[in-house]
Amino acid sequence: MKKSYYCFLFLIFFIPSNTSAQQYQISSPDVHLSIQIKNEKSLHFSLIKNGKVVIPSVEIAMNLQQEMIPSEKDKISKAAKQQITQIIHPVVAIKNSTIKDEYHELRLQYKNHFSVVFRVYNDAAAYRFETNFPDSITVMHERFNVSLPENSTA
C-alpha cells in the first residue's frame, strides 16, 4: 500500500504535465483594462475592459526564416512585472511640454532567446517580440489572429 502511495505522489509532483497551460494577467494602472495571457499550444491573449471581455482571443506569433516563435513546444521560463511612471519631455512640444507615461508591463521570457512584452496603459494595450539570437534574423511574417465577440458589428 505504501509503495503505490509513494509512486502516486511521485507521479503527481515530479512528472511535468504538458497539458497544463501557462496563464498570466496584467492590468492597467487604473485597473479598468486588463490582459489575460495563455501559453498553451500557441500564445493567446484576451482584452478585458471594466470586467467585460472586449476581445476574447488574439493569437500571436512570429514566423522567422527558420522557425516559428513561440512554437508549440516553447515554454515560458520567467515572468516579470513592472510598474512604470515617468515623464517624457518631447523635443518638439506641440500640445504639452511634458507627457506622463504610465503603464504596467509583463515580460514573458522564453528559454530560447526571445521574450514577449505586454504593456497595459489606462486607455490602450500593446505587445512586442524581443529577440536575443546570436545572429540577425529575418521575419517572414507576424501572426495576429483576432477572434471578435459574437454579434459584433462594424
Side-chain angles (χ1 to χ4, degrees):
M1 174 72 178
K2 277 189 173 184
K3 189 175 185 179
S4 62
Y5 179 72
Y6 290 125
C7 240
F8 179 71
L9 285 177
F10 178 79
L11 289 173
I12 290 175
F13 293 112
F14 296 107
I15 296 180
S17 172
N18 292 333
T19 59
S20 65
Q22 295 175 291
Q23 297 183 34
Y24 304 90
Q25 182 167 337
I26 187 165
S27 299
S28 62
D30 67 2
V31 240
H32 291 293
L33 193 63
S34 65
I35 293 179
Q36 291 180 342
I37 301 134
K38 186 187 287 187
N39 187 53
E40 204 166 20
K41 290 185 178 182
S42 59
L43 185 61
H44 291 263
F45 70 87
S46 56
L47 189 64
I48 296 107
K49 184 173 184 176
N50 296 323
K52 183 181 176 189
V53 176
V54 180
I55 301 176
S57 179
V58 178
E59 179 189 13
I60 59 173
M62 236 179 16
N63 191 3
L64 305 180
Q65 194 169 22
Q66 299 181 8
E67 66 180 313
M68 174 88 71
I69 61 172
S71 70
E72 280 189 36
K73 66 182 187 308
D74 288 333
K75 295 292 179 200
I76 297 165
S77 61
K78 182 180 175 184
K81 289 184 179 181
Q82 287 191 89
Q83 297 178 4
I84 307 294
T85 302
Q86 60 188 3
I87 301 296
I88 298 172
H89 300 281
V91 177
V92 179
I94 297 174
K95 277 181 139 179
N96 302 315
S97 60
T98 61
I99 300 168
K100 185 176 181 182
D101 189 26
E102 183 177 29
Y103 58 89
H104 290 172
E105 181 177 276
L106 173 63
R107 176 179 303 274
L108 302 176
Q109 178 70 46
Y110 287 80
K111 292 179 182 174
N112 43 348
H113 302 292
F114 73 93
S115 55
V116 183
V117 180
F118 291 89
R119 286 185 178 179
V120 186
Y121 297 83
N122 289 337
D123 57 355
Y127 77 92
R128 73 171 178 235
F129 288 95
E130 293 181 352
T131 63
N132 190 15
F133 293 110
D135 295 324
S136 62
I137 62 170
T138 302
V139 177
M140 304 306 286
H141 69 271
E142 188 172 339
R143 181 183 298 170
F144 185 83
N145 296 333
V146 181
S147 299
L148 296 175
E150 290 183 26
N151 303 324
S152 296
T153 58

